[in-house]
Amino acid sequence: MKRMMVFVLLMFPFISLASSEQAVISLLKASPENVQPSLETQKALEMLKQHGIIKNEPDIVADYNHIYIANKQLPVLGGVLLALDHEYLEDWIGCCVNPGVALALQVKKDKDDSSALASFAKENHCKVMLFEQSFMTKEVKEAAFDHVKKEDILVLSCKLSDRTHESRE
């Protein structure tokens, strides 16, 4: 019994990371059709908060964007999570909310890390872009990524406009 308990305690960090990665994946796959956050997205965000991946409150709120800077390194789709942008309507401030989730990921260009990312994006009608081409706010660029080469940052966006744009092509 003691051996089993030691094994479980040793494995907990790996289980925690795996379930945190699954929470991020479920956020990306959640339908952005509704401008209000769904119960599914709220549960996934709560899990990330409990595991210490993100803070309880967004680091940056800009328009409808609620941006969380990663507190811990979390491997996701071949990259490492740097920030999570959850866009939804909290209070009406004017046009235009683009509901859904986007991730800023550190992906080493000299490795083949981006294949899982590209495959996921294609299967889920998301868009992958260079960080500098993304709509992440200036504050995110200044606050979070000064330790990472900009060319190693990709944004995976699974927001409503990404999915409707994909369906028109």
Side-chain angles (χ1 to χ4, degrees):
M1 185 65 172
K2 287 183 182 180
R3 287 183 184 169
M4 180 59 114
M5 187 61 101
V6 169
F7 177 74
V8 169
L9 290 175
L10 289 174
M11 292 303 295
F12 184 74
F14 299 109
I15 294 168
S16 176
L17 282 179
S19 60
S20 294
E21 181 180 18
Q22 285 306 314
V24 170
I25 298 294
S26 73
L27 281 168
L28 293 168
K29 288 183 173 183
S31 173
E33 307 294 319
N34 191 350
V35 295
Q36 300 292 330
S38 69
L39 186 58
E40 178 184 3
T41 59
Q42 291 173 350
K43 284 182 180 180
L45 285 169
E46 191 57 39
M47 177 182 286
L48 294 173
K49 292 171 184 178
Q50 288 174 354
H51 291 173
I53 304 298
I54 60 175
K55 294 178 184 172
N56 285 333
E57 297 297 322
D59 294 282
I60 300 168
V61 177
D63 297 331
Y64 298 113
N65 300 79
H66 300 76
I67 301 170
Y68 298 87
I69 306 301
N71 291 328
K72 294 181 181 177
Q73 289 199 340
L74 177 65
V76 178
L77 298 169
V80 176
L81 179 67
L82 296 173
L84 184 151
D85 172 15
H86 183 213
E87 186 171 347
Y88 63 91
L89 177 68
E90 188 172 41
D91 294 315
W92 178 255
I93 59 171
C95 185
C96 295
V97 63
N98 183 22
V101 172
L103 305 179
L105 299 169
Q106 181 180 8
V107 180
K108 300 279 187 201
K109 296 288 185 189
D110 56 345
K111 298 180 182 175
D112 191 24
D113 286 341
S114 60
S115 61
L117 188 61
S119 175
F120 180 89
K122 185 175 182 177
E123 290 171 16
N124 293 281
H125 308 288
C126 301
K127 188 178 352 180
V128 177
M129 65 193 91
L130 297 172
F131 181 70
E132 294 298 324
Q133 296 171 344
S134 74
F135 291 102
M136 292 273 188
T137 63
K138 179 183 175 192
E139 292 86 1
V140 172
K141 292 178 185 182
E142 292 172 358
F145 308 138
D146 55 352
H147 64 287
V148 180
K149 290 193 284 184
K150 299 295 183 262
E151 59 269 13
D152 287 342
I153 303 173
L154 293 176
V155 172
L156 173 63
S157 182
C158 297
K159 295 187 177 187
L160 183 60
S161 66
D162 303 316
R163 295 177 186 200
T164 56
H165 175 73
E166 176 77 20
S167 67
R168 288 184 293 214
E169 292 180 349

